[in-house]
Amino acid sequence: MMIVAWKYRTNFENAYDSFGKISKFHKDAGADWINMFITTGADNGSFITAVGFENMKAYGKMDDMWNAPDSEMDKIMANNLSDTHLIETYNLNLMVGNIEGEQSPEVFSNFIFECDDVQAVRDSHEIDWKYYKEGGCTGIDIHRMSGGDYASNNTFMFCARFKSMEDLGANWDKMGESSYGKDLAGYHSKIKIIKNFNGRSLKFERFKS
């Protein structure tokens, strides 16, 4: 699974209008799904549109279609883009995870971080999942990041999914009373968190089962 994501600032009306236009395009271009979020935390109040593809080849096909000589997507999106300020764009490639099924209307706790010990990142999933699952989490994915400001091979995104923000908050309450911090202290000493933010899914469409 490969995901391309755009984080941007705009108003709700423009965000929903843009989603309707690009959702149709990405369905025709062969994407698996598309999801739009509103964020709290880093870049607070910004939107994220994330599109999932089977692999990099499928993403490349979409990019070719968008930029083809007979494509009118830039023209179609011109009014929307004129009222949009792009913050960043990045690619995600799943390294380890267990998030399955639909992704809306759920919320995600996200951390972007650096770590030179790739195996430690992989191994962290099992123990993270043990504690997060007990706190009501419905899945955790860890992705390698690339593109934009994240050119390093050792930049990752941690994504934990919950059914609601209340469940997310209850999870942090529960983990604060557990031995989570102690059990992962060695791993946490190896990572440097760049950004952390929550994302609430506002609109989700799946094109392929």
Side-chain angles (χ1 to χ4, degrees):
M1 170 61 67
M2 182 271 181
I3 299 169
V4 60
W6 297 267
K7 181 181 279 189
Y8 53 94
R9 294 195 184 280
T10 189
N11 57 67
F12 275 89
E13 181 180 1
N14 189 45
Y16 278 102
D17 187 60
S18 297
F19 182 91
K21 293 176 181 178
I22 63 173
S23 177
K24 181 180 184 304
F25 168 80
H26 282 294
K27 179 180 181 180
D28 294 342
D32 289 9
W33 52 262
I34 184 171
N35 206 342
M36 181 175 74
F37 305 87
I38 184 74
T39 69
T40 56
D43 304 314
N44 190 61
S46 60
F47 295 88
I48 296 174
T49 297
V51 185
F53 298 90
E54 180 180 359
N55 49 38
M56 287 291 293
K57 180 179 178 181
Y59 162 74
K61 175 186 174 182
M62 177 281 295
D63 192 67
D64 288 341
M65 288 179 62
W66 186 291
N67 293 288
D70 58 348
S71 171
E72 295 188 351
M73 285 308 297
D74 286 341
K75 180 179 179 181
I76 292 170
M77 296 297 300
N79 288 338
N80 302 99
L81 294 175
S82 68
D83 199 21
T84 300
H85 170 67
L86 182 67
I87 297 173
E88 60 185 7
T89 182
Y90 48 82
N91 300 332
L92 303 173
N93 287 279
L94 181 64
M95 186 170 71
V96 58
N98 58 0
I99 291 179
E100 299 176 347
E102 299 303 312
Q103 299 185 48
S104 180
E106 292 154 320
V107 299
F108 291 77
S109 176
N110 307 286
F111 294 86
I112 298 174
F113 65 96
E114 295 177 342
C115 182
D116 292 331
D117 189 341
V118 177
Q119 190 58 48
V121 176
R122 285 185 185 276
D123 294 343
S124 71
H125 185 274
E126 182 177 358
I127 191 166
D128 264 322
W129 176 234
K130 171 190 173 184
Y131 283 99
Y132 274 77
K133 179 173 63 175
E134 292 175 355
C137 178
T138 61
I140 293 173
D141 283 350
I142 302 176
H143 305 267
R144 282 186 177 273
M145 294 188 71
S146 60
D149 295 328
Y150 308 106
S152 168
N153 289 329
N154 296 322
T155 306
F156 306 90
M157 181 182 282
F158 172 97
C159 306
R161 184 180 65 177
F162 298 85
K163 292 181 179 179
S164 67
M165 194 64 76
E166 182 177 3
D167 284 356
L168 190 159
N171 171 76
W172 287 114
D173 289 339
K174 184 176 180 64
M175 289 206 301
E177 299 169 353
S178 72
S179 61
Y180 173 76
K182 179 180 178 181
D183 289 350
L184 274 87
Y187 169 63
H188 288 164
S189 70
K190 297 180 179 181
I191 70 175
K192 176 185 177 183
I193 295 177
I194 301 171
K195 287 185 179 182
N196 69 284
F197 59 93
N198 299 323
R200 179 185 297 276
S201 178
L202 299 176
K203 190 83 172 176
F204 176 81
E205 290 188 23
R206 180 173 294 280
F207 308 129
K208 298 180 181 179
S209 58

